[in-house]
Amino acid sequence: MDYSIETHPLDKLESRCLIAGIYQNQQFGNTALTLDAQTRGIIGKVIKRGDIQGKNGETLLLNYLPECPIERVLLVGMGEKGKVTRKLYRKALTAAIKTVRESKLTSVTSSLHDIDVEDADLAWKTRQTIEVFNDGIYQYSHTKNCDENKVQLNEVKILAGSESQTAIETGLTQGLAIAQAMELTKRLADLPGNICTPSYLAEQAGELAEKFERLECEILEESHLEALGMGAFLAVSRGSRQPAKLITLNYRGGDEQHKPIVLVGKGLTFDAGGISLKPGAGMDEMKYDMCGGATVLGVLQAVAQMNLPLNVIGLIPSSENLPDGNANKPGDILTSMAGKTIEVLNTDAEGRLILCDTLTYAKKFDPEVVIDMATLTGACIVSLGRVPSGLLGNDDALCEDLNKASEIACDSVWRLPLWEEYQEQLKSNFADLANIGGPDAGTITAACFLSRFTEDYRWAHLDIAGTAWRTGQNKGATGRPVPLLTQYLLNRAHA
Ligand code: BES
Ligand code: MN
Ligand code: ZN
């Protein structure tokens, strides 16, 4: 997809399709108003007929404008004037790109950033346009030859007046970085487990590092993990024929003495549950258990692409979790890299096992903060549904920073408590802690488990089980929480 800025004024604009917003009760947005004057009132006449009201998410494609170099106009309903929130704005963008896709348009020019949005500037609106549009035209193709709904769009232009160009350029740069990062995350996540193995993820990380001067990649093999004493991580990969990998991506964009921000992503390329086997129905979705890792890859790509003046390290523990004669078993006791012993009461609680050793390993980078993201618990979907990611952590300021970033990015989070009382549930008769905490508060006890390995630094955990992919008919990765983390890092870079 080609994204660019269009600087021709409306009266000199040539376009296959101009996207223009109208408000509820058939009120014009600025561009629609100018266009109406230019076309002797055509837009107004169509609106008056009642074909579109301007309600949020309505669209109407006008296929012909007489004597006008603008071939088509796509009118998009924004909702009530003066009451367009960030969320409503994104909803309108989603509706617009859906109509563009269905109408098989090849090139569009958007003027939707002339719409007033609460608490949003021009850069934000431009950026969201690119994020939402790019998301709307995403198409998985790696293993699918024929697709009758093939996307035809190959060009998106953003209409800019001369005074607004700088803000729009900022929006374009950030929007492109985030959109392309989400695309990378989705492509990796949508790949099946037989293609996207730990080795495949490691290769992808290596390729990413080759593209960017400031990005370096290191892969630790099982022999290294053993030397480091990562008994919890290695226990998970015992049942798999695919070798586990610990991927490190190191981005150096800040001063050498600046402590790095460390991002950790669960990279379980397939989670069958191990000996505590999962039920068969819907098990295919456990190829998505590497979405945390795929997010880390996406975010590091975005950071490198934008050349942010920060030091960021991505750590991705990657493995499969399968039943096997050699697999770890309920009752087994593991020794983690931190020296704490762990009783495995359920081999399906494997994410925390690969994460805990990685979180211990993270200490060697003397991190400013550590943020991990993981499709960690089904319980998170039970408690929060598929709207926000679960947020837990040992540092209020860090959680608040993530909260703020999530609001701007429209990639929501909801904080859950990590109180001392819950730690009780992890007691084991035979080890320092058990790997499950019983049926109550599963998302919290999973985070409690991780918290026992993050005592030496400021840390936050994102449970993305409900947000990283969609289930059902429209099954597919969402690219979340790439927007949230990229926003957090943008905020840090500008602080
Ligand atoms: N990857 C799963 C979590 C998951 C389940 C994500 C369903 C999305 C949908 C994780 O490894 C897991 O199996 N967790 C168990 C923990 C339990 C055994 C304490 C779960 O949630 O059932
Ligand atoms: Mn599991
Ligand atoms: Zn899992």
Side-chain angles (χ1 to χ4, degrees):
M1 186 61 46
D2 187 51
Y3 295 95
S4 59
I5 298 181
E6 170 66 78
T7 50
H8 284 97
L10 212 51
D11 58 340
K12 300 217 172 60
L13 181 70
E14 286 181 30
S15 172
R16 291 283 174 77
C17 179
L18 176 69
I19 305 178
I22 61 166
Y23 296 106
Q24 204 150 316
N25 303 322
Q26 309 180 332
Q27 275 180 285
F28 289 120
N30 290 340
T31 304
L33 187 66
T34 315
L35 196 62
D36 188 57
Q38 245 168 260
T39 57
R40 281 184 258 124
I42 287 273
I43 313 273
K45 280 175 199 152
V46 174
I47 293 179
K48 269 207 196 77
R49 267 189 340 214
D51 292 9
I52 184 165
Q53 299 297 327
K55 282 197 198 117
N56 185 270
E58 270 185 296
T59 60
L60 180 67
L61 183 63
L62 308 182
N63 274 303
Y64 180 67
L65 294 179
E67 292 153 43
C68 188
I70 298 168
E71 292 177 14
R72 301 173 188 79
V73 175
L74 176 63
L75 295 176
V76 182
M78 305 304 302
E80 228 177 299
K81 192 169 182 176
K83 290 194 177 160
V84 183
T85 59
R86 288 191 285 232
K87 276 189 190 173
L88 282 174
Y89 186 69
R90 279 177 59 97
K91 262 176 91 176
L93 288 172
T94 307
I97 193 63
K98 183 162 177 271
T99 305
V100 166
R101 186 174 174 159
E102 285 166 2
S103 309
K104 306 229 178 284
L105 299 174
T106 52
S107 166
V108 297
T109 311
S110 174
S111 70
L112 288 179
H113 50 282
D114 76 358
I115 298 297
D116 288 328
V117 181
E118 284 176 21
D119 302 317
D121 57 17
L122 210 49
W124 185 91
K125 288 185 272 186
T126 305
R127 190 174 109 185
Q128 290 295 331
T129 304
I130 293 163
E131 278 181 42
V132 175
F133 279 16
N134 204 60
D135 190 46
I137 55 164
Y138 169 80
Q139 206 161 31
Y140 174 84
S141 61
H142 198 98
T143 50
K144 201 171 178 191
N145 300 314
C146 46
D147 196 331
E148 57 286 1
N149 296 318
K150 200 169 179 327
V151 173
Q152 303 294 329
L153 190 69
N154 55 47
E155 186 178 46
V156 174
K157 296 181 187 175
I158 308 283
L159 192 61
S162 51
E163 72 298 336
S164 54
Q165 219 157 306
T166 329
I168 291 186
E169 262 162 32
T170 306
L172 187 71
T173 308
Q174 295 180 351
L176 266 179
I178 298 171
Q180 287 167 353
M182 289 172 79
E183 197 174 320
L184 171 65
T185 300
K186 287 191 283 187
R187 285 196 196 291
L188 290 172
D190 280 336
L191 286 176
N194 62 329
I195 294 177
C196 185
T197 58
S199 305
Y200 184 90
L201 274 185
E203 272 167 35
Q204 295 295 308
E207 281 178 24
L208 197 61
E210 263 169 35
K211 280 192 206 142
F212 298 97
E213 170 82 29
R214 291 168 159 189
L215 198 58
E216 253 172 47
C217 173
E218 184 191 31
I219 309 296
L220 296 188
E221 307 292 337
E222 287 188 352
S223 51
H224 294 116
L225 307 183
E226 205 154 327
L228 286 164
M230 293 195 174
F233 185 177
L234 284 167
V236 175
S237 83
R238 283 176 65 96
S240 164
R241 317 247 162 132
Q242 294 289 338
K245 309 272 171 180
L246 177 55
I247 303 165
T248 304
L249 275 170
N250 194 337
Y251 171 79
R252 290 190 182 87
D255 281 352
E256 217 165 293
Q257 64 276 23
H258 274 177
K259 291 179 171 192
I261 295 165
V262 177
L263 305 177
V264 177
K266 174 178 175 184
L268 230 290
T269 59
F270 190 75
D271 179 14
I275 297 297
S276 314
L277 191 64
K278 286 183 182 296
M283 205 207 268
D284 63 291
E285 292 189 15
M286 283 302 127
K287 73 175 182 182
Y288 287 117
D289 216 11
M290 37 60 76
C291 281
T295 297
V296 169
L297 283 168
V299 172
L300 273 128
Q301 173 178 288
V303 168
Q305 202 168 307
M306 290 187 287
N307 263 311
L308 292 189
L310 296 170
N311 295 325
V312 185
I313 290 172
L315 297 175
I316 307 168
S318 187
S319 166
E320 296 180 317
N321 185 27
L322 296 175
D324 181 84
N326 200 33
N328 70 332
K329 309 172 289 296
D332 282 5
I333 301 209
L334 319 173
T335 302
S336 63
M337 182 180 173
K340 293 185 178 167
T341 55
I342 302 163
E343 184 181 16
V344 177
L345 291 175
N346 190 321
T347 64
D348 198 10
E350 84 299 337
R352 58 199 82 181
L353 297 177
I354 69 171
L355 287 169
C356 72
D357 281 341
T358 309
L359 289 166
T360 302
Y361 182 71
K363 276 192 235 174
K364 85 166 200 167
F365 299 102
D366 187 21
E368 162 73 17
V369 297
V370 177
I371 305 166
D372 81 77
M373 54 222 83
T375 48
L376 203 62
T377 64
C380 194
I381 312 178
V382 176
S383 56
L384 297 175
R386 294 175 190 272
V387 182
S389 303
L391 166 65
L392 303 100
N394 64 13
D395 188 273
D396 289 345
L398 172 58
C399 288
E400 193 39 44
D401 285 348
L402 286 166
N403 211 10
K404 279 199 191 114
S406 86
E407 278 173 18
I408 297 172
C410 290
D411 186 357
S412 60
V413 296
W414 193 257
R415 193 169 176 192
L416 297 170
L418 197 65
W419 293 323
E420 188 55 40
E421 291 91 321
Y422 292 104
Q423 295 284 355
E424 285 285 309
Q425 288 175 239
L426 292 175
K427 285 205 165 135
S428 156
N429 290 350
F430 306 107
D432 299 333
L433 72 170
N435 82 326
I436 58 169
D440 294 354
T443 303
I444 296 174
T445 53
C448 281
F449 182 94
L450 299 179
S451 77
R452 306 280 276 270
F453 300 86
T454 62
E455 282 155 357
D456 297 340
Y457 48 70
R458 299 168 64 201
W459 159 76
H461 159 66
L462 293 162
D463 195 326
I464 58 172
T467 52
W469 78 89
R470 294 176 305 268
T471 185
Q473 276 261 302
N474 198 18
K475 189 186 295 179
T478 61
R480 289 178 66 185
V482 167
L484 159 66
L485 283 148
T486 313
Q487 184 66 53
Y488 169 77
L489 294 171
L490 276 167
N491 292 352
R492 294 285 316 228
H494 295 137

